[in-house]
């Protein structure tokens, strides 16, 4: 969020992809109807967070994935990508992003290809994401030129560890402070947070201060 | 072709899928433009062969795959299928139809799923193909009900061995008699054909008589 604020303050045009179809593809984490509601929620929350910290949202745009990912042009390009990307490379690209399970379905292999193709259809110069997206970004750089599109740049944010140590996860409420958290909830979670003395790596509190509090000032 | 004639004579409505996108997906055997021309050629040839052997073509219809396979509804259903079919099952389904190569691309995995979904979008009661299609038919029976569509029936034709023995193949001209063959060409190929004495299995001449000449009378 703070990085989006920095981009906007630097005069960049920012498109936020509300990836409803991707949410649905990722091992059926959620049904498509729920994902669509969630997309609306994200749009509202991101806009208002930026306004709250005094960032102009004139150059901010939200794009719903399903608004262009089901067009004939996009789908033909997706099928073309399917003819140039091997199963092995698609699997590798998604390894850190798509939930890894036994007997994985095909949707997890399609997911990275769509993320690559989105760069072309969103008309962006650069894609921004967490470092966990690195392998998908590498795939995008390699395969877009193979179907005649230009290679894009990629910016990556470090992954902020969860408050409980380890990865921040939607399925562990204590690992993160939610946007709708009450002040009491925030206090409670910070008190419970993992912060071993003299340990900087994976220290939830230190990372929170470094990546959230300090840059926000 | 003779089986299509039988269906039409029995009063069935027959839809022939001109599978242009499938042709493109199968390990890039041909570019999409060539595949589209070939589809037009097939339509012309099939129609005129049936007319030549006195079959009414009133209930015969040709459908180009790309005419409905790039619609948003079809693509959303294809993505839904991708969430219920595993890599393993998609691979197994295509094993006898999709060209098997090292480092296979994703298109070969999508191919059987589209063939299954085509039953719904063509609105057919039964799909007909060679016995080499058996595993794709099995997949179709299993997965269509999982996304809310009814299971279809499947008819299969035996595979006629090539004139040279073994599988009939587009890449071995001597293995088959082409529709546009000259009479001299036919004679020449039949003279060269493989027909070992007392061998019935894989005997190109015997099979030609059994599956082509006798039923055509």
């Amino acid at each position: 969020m703070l990085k989006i604020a920095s981009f906007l303050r630097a005069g960049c045009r920012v498109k936020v992809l509300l990836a409803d179809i991707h949410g649905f593809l990722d091992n059926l984490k959620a049904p498509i109807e729920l994902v669509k509601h969630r997309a609306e929620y994200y749009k509202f929350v991101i806009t208002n967070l930026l306004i709250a910290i005094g960032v102009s949202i004139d150059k901010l745009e939200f794009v719903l994935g399903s608004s262009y990912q089901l067009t004939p042009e996009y789908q033909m390009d997706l099928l073309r990508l399917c003819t140039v990307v091997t199963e092995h490379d698609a699997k590798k690209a998604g390894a850190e992003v798509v939930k890894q399970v036994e007997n994985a379905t095909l949707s997890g292999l399609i997911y990275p290809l769509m993320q690559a193709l989105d760069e072309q259809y969103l008309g962006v110069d650069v894609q921004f994401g967490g470092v966990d997206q690195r392998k998908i970004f590498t795939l995008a750089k390699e395969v877009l030129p193979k179907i005649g599109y230009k290679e894009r740049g990629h910016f990556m944010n470090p992954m902020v560890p969860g408050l409980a140590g380890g990865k921040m996860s939607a399925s562990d409420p204590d690992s993160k402070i939610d946007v709708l958290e009450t002040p009491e909830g925030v206090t409670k979670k910070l008190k419970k947070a993992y912060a071993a003395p003299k340990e900087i790596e994976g220290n939830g509190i230190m990372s929170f201060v470094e990546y959230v509090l300090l840059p926000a000032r």
Side-chain angles (χ1 to χ4, degrees), chain A:
Chain A
M1 188 57 59
L2 287 166
K3 202 56 87 179
I4 292 176
S6 304
F7 291 148
L8 288 170
R9 284 194 177 117
C12 300
R13 286 180 59 203
V14 175
K15 288 186 185 177
V16 175
L17 173 61
L18 298 170
D20 52 349
I21 291 185
H22 276 96
F24 165 71
L25 287 180
D26 186 7
N27 204 38
L28 289 181
K29 266 185 196 161
I32 188 74
E33 293 76 18
L34 175 62
V35 168
K36 282 184 186 294
H37 283 293
R38 196 180 288 166
E40 282 305 302
Y41 167 74
Y42 285 142
K43 181 177 174 178
F44 181 82
V45 161
I46 292 172
T47 305
N48 286 285
L49 275 177
L50 291 168
I51 292 172
I53 58 174
V55 180
S56 161
I57 55 165
D58 288 354
K59 291 188 169 180
L60 177 68
E61 187 183 333
F62 292 87
V63 183
L64 196 62
S66 58
S67 71
Y68 65 88
Q69 289 163 345
L70 298 173
T71 59
E73 297 73 29
Y74 185 95
Q75 286 299 336
M76 194 64 212
D77 275 341
L78 182 57
L79 292 175
R80 288 169 66 215
L81 270 187
C82 282
T83 66
V84 298
V85 178
T86 64
E87 296 169 41
H88 172 265
D89 289 353
K91 192 159 206 150
K92 199 176 73 175
E96 287 182 50
V97 174
V98 177
K99 198 172 174 195
Q100 300 294 299
V101 293
E102 289 275 314
N103 287 318
T105 63
L106 290 181
S107 51
L109 300 180
I110 298 297
Y111 184 111
L113 273 64
M114 289 182 64
Q115 189 169 336
L117 196 53
D118 288 339
E119 295 180 346
Q120 173 68 23
Y121 279 79
L122 290 170
V124 296
D125 299 309
V126 166
Q127 185 178 176
F128 166 67
V131 290
D132 59 335
Q133 307 288 322
R134 197 181 55 242
K135 290 175 180 172
I136 293 182
F137 289 172
T138 306
L139 180 85
K141 280 166 65 86
E142 281 170 8
V143 302
L144 279 194
K146 287 189 184 169
I147 61 165
Y149 296 136
K150 72 172 182 185
E151 178 186 324
R152 266 61 181 206
H154 296 93
F155 291 158
M156 283 174 276
N157 234 9
M159 303 301 286
V160 181
L163 285 177
K167 205 177 170 186
M168 202 181 284
S169 163
S171 50
D172 175 8
D174 281 345
S175 74
K176 62 186 176 60
I177 293 175
D178 199 79
V179 178
L180 301 180
E181 208 81 67
T182 60
E184 299 74 38
V186 175
T187 310
K188 196 174 155 196
K189 284 190 177 180
L190 285 177
K191 280 193 178 158
K192 279 175 70 176
Y194 177 81
K198 297 186 182 175
E199 266 185 38
I200 294 172
E201 289 286 316
N203 186 317
I205 292 286
M206 294 278 289
S207 303
F208 190 76
V209 172
E210 180 178 2
Y211 297 118
V212 183
L213 291 190
L214 295 183
R217 302 210 142 244

